[in-house]
């Protein structure tokens, strides 16, 4: 496994843990552009009372703002859970080059599990995908979070 992928995913996992400590579903995201950290965040839907405040959306917004361009073509998004339809759409619209995610999401994932929006040939941009990077750690964090809620 690529050690760069593990490095960046471990930072995404730190973000996920930070979200969990605030009662958010533990998902973290990191945007890396040109080998440099451009943005990092975690889910904040509860905190911001915003259904769109997923980790991926927040990190993409920050990276675009820092670059002064909505196109993130030289960037990789690392996320601890397979993105949902909303986030997959944002990834395509931002022209992200590469998506690396940890755990598959059989209930809402739209990059492999339920569909594959980010590689749909009908769209004008397709994203390279790698999955399974630190998947066990990400899955365990989600399991523990939801078990504590029950």
């Amino acid at each position: 496994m690529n050690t760069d992928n593990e490095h960046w995913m471990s930072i995404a996992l730190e973000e996920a843990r930070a979200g969990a400590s605030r009662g958010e579903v533990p998902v973290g995201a990191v945007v890396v552009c040109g080998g440099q950290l451009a943005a990092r965040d975690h889910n904040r839907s509860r905190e911001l009372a915003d259904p769109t405040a997923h980790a991926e959306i927040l990190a993409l917004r920050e990276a675009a703002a820092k670059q002064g361009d909505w196109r993130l073509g030289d960037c990789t998004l690392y996320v601890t859970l397979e993105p949902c339809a909303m986030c997959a759409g944002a990834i395509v619209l931002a022209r992200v080059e590469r998506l690396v995610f940890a755990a598959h999401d059989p209930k809402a994932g739209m990059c492999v599990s339920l569909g594959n929006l980010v590689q749909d040939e009908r769209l004008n941009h397709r994203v390279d995908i790698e999955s399974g990077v630190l998947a066990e750690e990400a899955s365990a964090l989600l399991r523990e979070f939801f078990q504590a809620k029950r």
Side-chain angles (χ1 to χ4, degrees):
M1 189 161 302
N2 184 320
T3 56
D4 283 345
N5 285 347
E6 290 178 354
H7 168 74
W8 296 118
M9 191 62 74
S10 68
I11 295 171
L13 281 164
E14 288 174 11
E15 284 294 331
R17 288 183 195 98
S21 73
R22 294 175 174 86
E24 300 282 357
V25 174
V27 177
V30 171
V31 179
V32 177
C33 302
Q36 299 296 313
L37 178 66
R40 61 188 285 177
D41 216 325
H42 55 270
N43 279 358
R44 294 179 185 270
S45 294
R46 292 174 53 108
E47 173 188 340
L48 300 175
D50 179 355
T52 70
H54 289 194
E56 301 95 317
I57 299 288
L58 297 172
L60 290 172
R61 286 178 184 161
E62 181 182 340
K66 282 183 179 175
Q67 288 200 345
D69 192 350
W70 59 270
R71 290 176 296 262
L72 300 174
D74 67 337
C75 299
T76 299
L77 174 65
Y78 293 87
V79 62
T80 59
L81 183 64
E82 179 183 356
C84 69
M86 176 184 67
C87 294
I91 292 163
V92 170
L93 292 172
R95 309 295 195 270
V96 169
E97 179 178 13
R98 195 164 154 258
L99 166 67
V100 179
F101 68 87
H104 288 265
D105 186 351
K107 293 184 178 180
M110 282 302 292
C111 299
V112 175
S113 297
L114 294 179
N116 190 344
L117 187 60
V118 299
Q119 292 182 328
D120 191 310
E121 292 183 7
R122 296 169 293 180
L123 300 176
N124 65 343
H125 178 73
R126 281 166 289 293
V127 180
D128 293 331
I129 299 174
E130 184 171 341
S131 64
V133 177
L134 301 182
E136 187 50 44
E137 292 90 330
S139 295
L141 183 58
L142 286 158
R143 269 193 311 276
E144 292 165 10
F145 178 82
F146 287 113
Q147 283 174 351
K149 293 282 182 192
R150 292 184 188 126

